[in-house]
Amino acid sequence: MASRDGDVQTLRNRIVNLEEEVAALRYLLTRGESYGPIEDGNIAKQGGCRVAPADDLDLAQSQKDLKDRTSRGVWNWPLSQEEYRRYGRQMIVPQIGLEGQLRLKNSAVLIVGLGGLGCPAAAYLAGAGVGTLGLIDGDTVEISNLHRQIMHSTRKVGMSKVESAKKFLEELNPNTKYNLHREHLTPETAPGIVAQYDLILDCTDHPTSRYLVSDTAVLLGKPIVSASALRTEGQLMTLNNPPRPPGDVTGGPCYRCIFPKPPPAESVISCGDGGILGPVVGIMGVLQALEGIKLIAANMHQSAETLLGGSKTSEPHEAPSLLLFSAYGSPAFRSVRLRRRRSKCSTCSADASVTSQSLLSGSLDYVQFCGVSQPLNLLREDERISPEHLQALRKKPGSNHVLVDVREKVQFDICHLDGTINVPISDLTAGKALQAKNVEFSRLFQERGPEQPLYVVCRLGNDSQLAVRKLKEAGLDNDGKRYIGDIQGGFKAWKDRVDPDWPEY
């Protein structure tokens, strides 16, 4: 029995010795591989982590020093005990390792926008051990944010989003430094803020901010991970990767290369108007964090001449691509190859007109460039009635009128006024609703007189104006004998001025 115990103890001692030797070897590998000679034995910073010359180190001496330091309670590893435990599961992934973890620790990432994209992106970057996270957003938390913006909570409604995010992230990882920018990015402030960071995550939701983020990042040599999401679909792309000066054709494309002209302002649909499924925007935000981690761990600032392993040749960067996600698509993910830098791009070409001076001077008007979607004003005053007028008509005994709700069926099913006919605006604009076989319009003509007034209502008072025009063009006004008009301000005005209990969504 004693012999068996002795054998067991011998094996334990051998394991301890081997573990110490492996630890010393890993330490030497981390300190010495890929960074070249360092003058005077000083520790130098290169590629995002600090290392020392390997040729001055002897393995046996290193093991002895390590044991001596450990026995004296002196920690001699590049990360703390807590950091090894915290990040160990990702460090053993070959693509990360200790080297990648040190790059993460020494990196600074700016997250522009702390909504549905920025929340999961910030959480995973902080969890991964990014050393500095910049958080920029000028908005406050609203209850309508909470189904998708996972860092915020009910008790934080009304709080600044950057403050809310900081509270969440500090509980997740107190090792990361959090820089708060309680503002919206502007051309005048963007260069000063973006210059502080190595990588930019564009988590905004409007073309004006996307062009601004891209222009600033290109001028300052920062790669960008950009994403968007609406309804059940999302997009992701990495821009200005590799980051090269304007005019260098080996650099990655910028946002203007992909979209030289902004979309018409009236075609830009927000989550508030078009809707968004929480997990969809969450997936895109997580993918942004993943791309950011990949860039940092692989040393995003490697030059074309030198890789982070001392190699004199560089592997070519992957061709830029756009990742498309559709929650109901099959397959759910598709990838589309993007063009490289445009030869006449106004930001990243040799003849670029967008410069640091033009940004700082405020001469670049991104709102004017992208356009502003103004409330429609298509109808004359006598073609519109107020919500109060509609309420009076509905209360009047024997009132003889038709009320058409042109919201999409999914919104109509959420809430609608009794006796309303639902004819979605999409059917009207496509011509489907005006066909004789349409059930609702057949009932409209068969059951009601040809001179009954017809009122049209929508959510905000824009689609209803378009619908009135369509109905009149189709001759449903019976040569002017039938009044056709809309409810000014739609159901938003109805809630504000008539029925405060109307569901707001």
Side-chain angles (χ1 to χ4, degrees):
M1 189 69 175
S3 175
R4 179 183 298 174
D5 291 343
D7 291 342
V8 170
Q9 186 58 45
T10 299
L11 288 172
R12 286 175 176 163
N13 292 339
R14 289 184 63 188
I15 290 171
V16 169
N17 292 333
L18 288 170
E19 286 177 342
E20 289 177 351
E21 184 176 351
V22 170
L25 286 168
R26 285 178 175 163
Y27 181 51
L28 283 175
L29 179 64
T30 302
R31 296 179 68 185
E33 76 172 6
S34 79
Y35 296 96
I38 299 175
E39 295 180 2
D40 301 325
N42 293 327
I43 290 180
K45 184 175 182 181
Q46 181 177 348
C49 58
R50 299 183 183 273
V51 295
D55 49 7
D56 294 339
L57 301 174
D58 176 77
L59 175 57
Q61 184 61 42
S62 177
Q63 285 181 270
K64 182 178 182 299
D65 291 345
L66 184 59
K67 291 180 180 179
D68 291 344
R69 285 175 172 269
T70 303
S71 66
R72 297 197 309 268
V74 179
W75 187 250
N76 198 38
W77 301 98
L79 296 173
S80 69
Q81 281 272 28
E82 191 267 351
E83 288 174 314
Y84 277 105
R85 291 194 299 270
R86 181 182 287 270
Y87 309 125
R89 298 298 187 273
Q90 72 184 29
M91 281 197 293
I92 62 177
V93 175
Q95 291 87 343
I96 305 297
L98 179 58
E99 209 171 298
Q101 191 62 51
L102 290 171
R103 291 193 184 114
L104 287 167
K105 183 176 181 177
N106 284 278
S107 67
V109 179
L110 177 64
I111 299 178
V112 187
L114 294 168
L117 294 168
C119 282
Y124 276 100
L125 288 173
V130 166
T132 301
L133 271 183
L135 310 172
I136 179 167
D137 199 308
D139 292 336
T140 57
V141 179
E142 299 178 2
I143 196 167
S144 61
N145 302 150
L146 302 183
H147 83 286
R148 66 192 185 280
Q149 300 180 15
I150 58 173
M151 290 197 298
H152 312 311
S153 62
T154 303
R155 64 184 178 85
K156 293 180 180 177
V157 170
M159 181 185 293
S160 162
K161 283 189 176 182
V162 293
E163 293 287 353
S164 170
K166 182 185 178 185
K167 290 180 180 293
F168 178 94
L169 295 170
E170 283 182 332
E171 291 186 4
L172 175 65
N173 190 352
N175 298 326
T176 296
K177 177 185 177 183
Y178 302 102
N179 295 337
L180 306 189
H181 306 278
R182 303 172 184 84
E183 58 189 292
H184 293 294
L185 211 60
T186 67
E188 294 81 6
T189 62
I193 294 174
V194 171
Q196 304 173 43
Y197 301 93
D198 305 311
L199 173 67
I200 314 301
L201 263 63
D202 184 355
C203 302
T204 61
D205 61 359
H206 197 274
T208 53
S209 52
R210 291 179 187 143
Y211 280 107
L212 172 59
V213 169
S214 176
D215 290 349
T216 308
V218 169
L219 293 173
L220 295 175
K222 315 289 183 179
I224 315 152
V225 181
S226 178
S228 61
L230 184 67
R231 299 190 178 107
T232 62
E233 298 179 343
Q235 299 181 354
L236 174 81
M237 56 186 170
T238 300
L239 302 170
N240 198 37
N241 179 48
R244 298 284 190 265
D248 189 335
V249 296
T250 66
C254 70
Y255 194 79
R256 288 184 189 265
C257 291
I258 312 302
F259 303 106
K261 295 182 179 180
E266 60 273 11
S267 70
V268 177
I269 302 174
S270 68
C271 292
D273 294 332
I276 181 64
L277 194 59
V280 171
V281 69
I283 287 171
M284 304 317 297
V286 169
L287 288 173
Q288 281 185 281
L290 175 60
E291 288 302 309
I293 292 170
K294 286 164 58 180
L295 282 171
I296 296 167
N299 188 24
M300 58 191 167
H301 294 302
Q302 62 185 348
S303 69
E305 294 76 28
T306 306
L307 282 178
L308 210 100
S311 171
K312 297 300 180 182
T313 58
S314 169
E315 295 179 5
H317 283 262
E318 293 182 5
S321 62
L322 174 68
L323 181 67
L324 303 173
F325 170 71
S326 175
Y328 291 91
S330 181
F333 288 96
R334 293 185 297 118
S335 183
V336 178
R337 179 165 292 191
L338 297 176
R339 64 178 303 155
R340 296 190 180 273
R341 284 190 169 181
R342 292 176 61 247
S343 59
K344 296 183 179 180
C345 177
S346 57
T347 301
C348 65
S349 71
D351 300 320
S353 58
V354 177
T355 64
S356 298
Q357 184 178 0
S358 62
L359 270 180
L360 292 171
S361 67
S363 62
L364 289 174
D365 190 335
Y366 287 87
V367 174
Q368 183 181 24
F369 174 67
C370 294
V372 179
S373 180
Q374 300 288 351
L376 290 181
N377 191 21
L378 300 177
L379 304 180
R380 302 187 308 270
E381 186 175 346
D382 62 351
E383 293 178 292
R384 317 193 73 183
I385 68 169
S386 67
E388 293 88 347
H389 188 172
L390 176 63
Q391 174 73 332
L393 288 173
R394 290 177 60 81
K395 287 185 174 182
K396 183 178 179 180
S399 177
N400 201 13
H401 67 275
V402 177
L403 182 60
V404 176
D405 187 334
V406 294
R407 293 176 299 160
E408 298 300 319
K409 184 179 185 301
V410 66
Q411 296 188 45
F412 182 82
D413 290 342
I414 292 173
C415 54
H416 60 267
L417 296 175
D418 292 341
T420 307
I421 296 174
N422 179 220
V423 183
I425 186 65
S426 58
D427 288 351
L428 274 174
T429 54
K432 297 177 182 178
L434 301 178
Q435 296 174 2
K437 63 181 180 182
N438 182 278
V439 175
E440 294 296 342
F441 269 76
S442 296
R443 182 161 67 90
L444 174 66
F445 286 109
Q446 293 172 5
E447 299 179 2
R448 316 201 181 196
E451 297 182 4
Q452 283 186 334
L454 191 155
Y455 302 101
V456 183
V457 67
C458 66
R459 188 179 181 190
L460 300 174
N462 292 327
D463 287 343
S464 56
Q465 295 184 65
L466 294 171
V468 168
R469 281 284 179 89
K470 282 287 184 182
L471 295 173
K472 287 188 173 183
E473 289 171 2
L476 294 181
D477 61 344
N478 198 17
D479 293 328
K481 297 177 181 178
R482 177 201 299 276
Y483 175 85
I484 300 180
D486 89 315
I487 312 304
Q488 197 165 18
F491 281 119
K492 184 181 185 302
W494 177 265
K495 176 180 176 63
D496 292 341
R497 295 155 57 180
V498 175
D499 182 6
D501 293 331
W502 180 260
E504 182 178 3
Y505 59 90

